[in-house]
Amino acid sequence: MAKKIFVKNIFYVEVNNHDLFYVTSEGDFKVREALSHVEKQLEKYHFVKISSSFLINLRHVSCILSDEVIGNNVSLKISRAMKKRLLKEYEEFTGD
């Protein structure tokens, strides 16, 4: 039986060799699914794609630096192509 993962507990989703890894407050979970499919499902919950490999939950972002996102003691690289959208989404999310 599959474990239920609450969206608010997901820090980020990483794709690696066609597997998705959900990194959560309850541990890491591996599934076989397309990141594009998950991105469509999670965008309404304030998830933003920051590179071809990562989808992050804005609830868990501490700060955004020039080329990385910091959250939950993890630093993830932002691709140049995704940075503008990330900053816009983060600004809307935080109300700044």
Side-chain angles (χ1 to χ4, degrees):
M1 184 162 84
K3 178 166 175 57
K4 187 173 189 172
I5 300 172
F6 292 99
V7 171
K8 68 180 181 177
N9 295 338
I10 301 170
F11 300 143
Y12 61 90
V13 182
E14 178 181 9
V15 66
N16 190 341
N17 292 328
H18 305 289
D19 290 322
L20 290 184
F21 294 88
Y22 287 81
V23 178
T24 77
S25 58
E26 300 170 28
D28 299 355
F29 302 94
K30 179 177 131 180
V31 297
R32 203 141 191 57
E33 194 171 7
L35 186 62
S36 59
H37 177 72
V38 172
E39 181 180 7
K40 288 176 185 160
Q41 291 180 317
L42 294 178
E43 67 185 357
K44 63 185 170 213
Y45 299 106
H46 308 290
F47 280 75
V48 179
K49 191 172 182 180
I50 63 166
S51 70
S52 59
S53 300
F54 291 102
L55 186 64
I56 61 162
N57 186 344
L58 293 178
R59 293 175 191 262
H60 298 287
V61 171
S62 303
C63 69
I64 298 174
L65 303 176
S66 63
D67 65 345
E68 60 187 339
V69 173
I70 310 290
N72 293 70
N73 297 318
V74 175
S75 171
L76 302 172
K77 292 287 182 192
I78 306 167
S79 76
R80 284 185 299 216
M82 307 290 181
K83 187 172 182 179
K84 187 174 182 178
R85 179 171 177 235
L86 168 63
L87 293 173
K88 180 182 175 287
E89 295 283 338
Y90 188 68
E91 184 177 300
E92 289 175 9
F93 178 73
T94 61
D96 289 344

